[in-house]
Amino acid sequence: RVESAIGFAQWIVDDPATRQAGLEEAKRNMELVQLLGGSHIAAPPAGATKDVQLDLFAAAERYRALLVAGAEIGVVPQVEVWGHSANLSRLGEAVFVAIESGHPDACLLPDVYHIYKGGSAFAGLEMIDGKSMHCFHMNDYPAEPPRENISDADRVYPGDGVAPLDQILKTLAEVGFRGALSLELFNREYWKQDAGEVARTGLKKRSEEHTSELQSRQT
């Protein structure tokens, strides 16, 4: 199945012309996902990652417009946490935008690395209804470099870093998450390897030790 996809349309930015162009690009992206048989697409804060702090109420209105467009196509955009961004870097910010959009399809796309990078506590996941998360990006991060300097490229396979994955998965199970655990890696060393082997290694790294709690709750 196509559990999710991503595009980098600038749907959230302040400039009206850029935002309208971003909305049209997002529609094209969602149409492609629909043609592939998918039903969800990530909605990161592309174009608003530097300097300017957006008004979160305005961001919620823009997310609603994206959701309305997605409903016509049959694809649901997911507010994605981007820990390195000036906007939506925190789990709470993404939750705020989803709630204040007031749309029934509003949902979140969290990521182990991005929650850490943005400085949010993983305990915050305990306050989110699992039904509002259809996909969760799985990865890990090392103890070094420190959080302030860590980058996308430092992500490692689940279990190869210091993230509290057991607790994260236990929390997801307890809040009723029944979505997909999607391997999300931007490690350039992995890029040099065979894609199939990377996928197999990623599945292996998500061992029974890490997934037993989630699987037992699902059954």
Side-chain angles (χ1 to χ4, degrees):
R1 297 183 300 184
V2 180
E3 294 289 353
S4 187
I6 192 168
F8 300 100
Q10 298 186 28
W11 60 274
I12 199 172
V13 299
D14 281 333
D15 181 72
T18 302
R19 188 169 67 251
Q20 183 57 42
L23 185 59
E24 295 304 316
E25 180 183 345
K27 290 178 182 178
R28 293 191 295 272
N29 291 340
M30 289 189 283
E31 287 169 352
L32 286 172
V33 171
Q34 195 275 335
L35 287 171
L36 289 168
S39 58
H40 292 80
I41 188 170
T49 60
K50 301 182 184 298
D51 303 326
V52 178
Q53 287 287 324
L54 299 177
D55 177 86
L56 289 180
F57 284 104
E61 291 179 6
R62 295 161 190 174
Y63 178 47
R64 180 180 179 84
L66 190 64
L67 287 162
V68 169
E72 295 177 355
I73 297 168
V75 172
V76 178
Q78 309 152 287
V79 173
E80 185 174 15
V81 180
W82 265 12
H84 63 273
S85 175
N87 295 283
L88 303 190
S89 64
R90 310 279 300 198
L91 188 60
E93 292 174 328
V95 170
F96 182 97
V97 168
I99 291 174
E100 293 300 329
S101 72
H103 195 283
D105 292 338
C107 55
L108 305 172
L109 179 53
D111 179 301
V112 172
Y113 161 79
H114 279 301
I115 293 174
Y116 168 72
K117 175 63 177 176
S120 294
F122 290 108
L125 294 169
E126 298 173 8
M127 303 183 71
I128 302 173
D129 189 330
K131 294 191 294 294
S132 68
M133 297 179 285
H134 304 287
C135 185
F136 197 100
H137 285 166
M138 291 297 295
N139 43 55
D140 209 332
Y141 51 83
E144 294 292 337
R147 184 178 66 82
E148 292 76 15
N149 300 326
I150 203 167
S151 70
D152 283 354
D154 294 310
R155 301 187 211 192
V156 292
Y157 288 116
D160 285 1
V162 297
L165 295 183
D166 287 342
Q167 183 59 48
I168 291 169
L169 288 167
K170 181 180 179 182
T171 298
L172 289 177
E174 290 174 345
V175 300
F177 173 75
R178 299 296 183 267
L181 298 176
S182 175
L183 189 66
E184 177 88 350
L185 300 168
F186 286 85
N187 190 306
R188 288 173 174 78
E189 291 303 311
Y190 300 161
W191 290 356
K192 300 174 184 178
Q193 302 170 24
D194 175 76
E197 184 59 31
V198 170
R200 285 187 290 272
T201 302
L203 287 171
K204 183 178 179 181
K205 291 288 186 179
R206 243 176 39 200
S207 64
E208 291 183 4
E209 177 184 356
H210 287 146
T211 59
S212 57
E213 179 72 23
L214 187 59
Q215 289 173 341
S216 65
R217 299 261 178 175
Q218 287 178 336
T219 54

